[in-house]
Amino acid sequence: MGLAEITGRVQAAEAAAGRKPGEVRLIAVSKVQPADRVEAVLAEGHRLFGENYVQEAAAKWPAWKALYPGVELHMIGPLQTNKAKLAVDLFDAIHTLDRPSLAERLARLAEAQGACPDLFVQVNTGAEPQKAGILPDEADAFIASCRDMGLPVVGLMCIPPEGEDSTPHFAALRAMAARNGLRGLSMGMSSDFEAAIAHGASHVRVGSAIFGARDYAPKA
Ligand SMILES: *Cc1c(COP(=O)(O)O)cnc(C)c1O
């Protein structure tokens, strides 16, 4: 556990898969983690972080960005349309473009601001009713409509169903990206990032294996 161990495992997985060293980007998922744990990882030199909640990220990161040049912040949680402006201002990439209304909002913001974070389309590869994401059957058309709006879609993202083997989901996402000419593949978490790297992940999102378990319990 810890940044050094996970970085080493990412490198080993790259080598085992015959991929270029450094090709896979490790997103350290810092949501809900105490500040001292995040600061320790910043002090070790890591600069790429993922957050799930716009307001939490907006409260924590401006100060760290000022203190640690080169920080890159990726939004990996569900994004409410009314927080899109804040998210566009704060994040370098958004991995959770999951519906037409959000695409339309982001397109309007991109036009107004003349810039837009890199976007990943979230695909609900397991077609789970409770989960966000575009259904696999609808992904090609959705990606095309985002491109028509001028949005900078760079890849696809998935969160495979819990308790299932992730690998068929990773393989399906990779095939979907390939046929749409997309290079970005945001997939793999603490429990399955090595399998995701074997299946072509460009970005793995690892939280608890770097920082330790998240404590969601209210503070006493
Ligand atoms: C929290 C979260 C992660 C990190 O999960 P770990 O199991 O702690 O590695 C990755 N991706 C998403 C979308 C998350 O919400």
Side-chain angles (χ1 to χ4, degrees), residues 29 31 52 76 157 159 189-190 205-208 214:
V29 177
K31 62 169 176 233
N52 284 63
I76 64 165
M157 178 270 212
I159 307 171
M189 309 181 17
S190 288
R205 311 178 307 264
V206 180
S208 45
R214 284 180 292 275

Side-chain angles (χ1 to χ4, degrees), residues 20-40:
K20 274 209 311 246
E23 183 178 270
V24 177
R25 303 202 64 207
L26 173 62
I27 302 175
V29 177
S30 48
K31 62 169 176 233
V32 192
Q33 295 287 355
D36 58 335
R37 291 188 191 171
V38 181
E39 281 162 2

Side-chain angles (χ1 to χ4, degrees), residues 175-190:
M176 211 176 286
R179 72 170 180 257
N180 284 285
L182 292 169
R183 302 168 65 98
L185 277 174
S186 169
M187 57 191 198
M189 309 181 17
S190 288

Side-chain angles (χ1 to χ4, degrees), residues 5-189:
E5 185 195 323
I6 299 308
T7 303
R9 283 171 57 187
V10 166
Q11 289 165 349
E14 282 175 336
R19 303 189 51 185
K20 274 209 311 246
E23 183 178 270
V24 177
R25 303 202 64 207
L26 173 62
I27 302 175
V29 177
S30 48
K31 62 169 176 233
V32 192
Q33 295 287 355
D36 58 335
R37 291 188 191 171
V38 181
E39 281 162 2
V41 168
L42 281 162
E44 284 180 83
H46 197 74
R47 291 293 179 268
L48 176 55
F49 292 82
E51 288 282 347
N52 284 63
Y53 311 103
V54 176
Q55 263 139 340
E56 181 193 348
K60 299 191 307 194
W61 280 98
W64 281 330
K65 278 188 176 183
L67 225 51
Y68 298 94
V71 163
E72 195 182 319
L73 211 51
H74 288 206
M75 173 64 177
I76 64 165
L79 180 55
Q80 292 171 249
T81 308
N82 64 6
K83 300 212 176 98
K85 168 85 167 67
L86 197 53
V88 162
D89 290 342
L90 185 64
F91 291 99
D92 301 290
I94 295 172
H95 291 232
T96 46
L97 172 49
D98 62 356
R99 60 193 189 279
S101 60
L102 182 58
E104 284 156 22
R105 179 86 182 108
L106 290 170
R108 278 198 298 276
L109 288 166
E111 199 176 11
Q113 309 198 279
C116 185
D118 287 343
L119 301 175
F120 292 75
V121 169
Q122 181 175 354
V123 182
N124 184 357
T125 54
E128 296 173 274
Q130 81 288 3
K131 196 168 268 179
I134 299 292
L135 291 170
D137 285 352
E138 295 164 6
D140 294 357
F142 182 71
I143 294 161
S145 79
C146 291
R147 286 175 161 157
D148 286 345
M149 289 182 226
L151 289 173
V153 176
V154 301
L156 304 179
M157 178 270 212
C158 75
I159 307 171
E162 276 216 46
E164 256 184 47
D165 178 7
S166 301
T167 57
H169 299 275
F170 295 157
L173 199 71
R174 176 188 217 168
M176 211 176 286
R179 72 170 180 257
N180 284 285
L182 292 169
R183 302 168 65 98
L185 277 174
S186 169
M187 57 191 198
M189 309 181 17

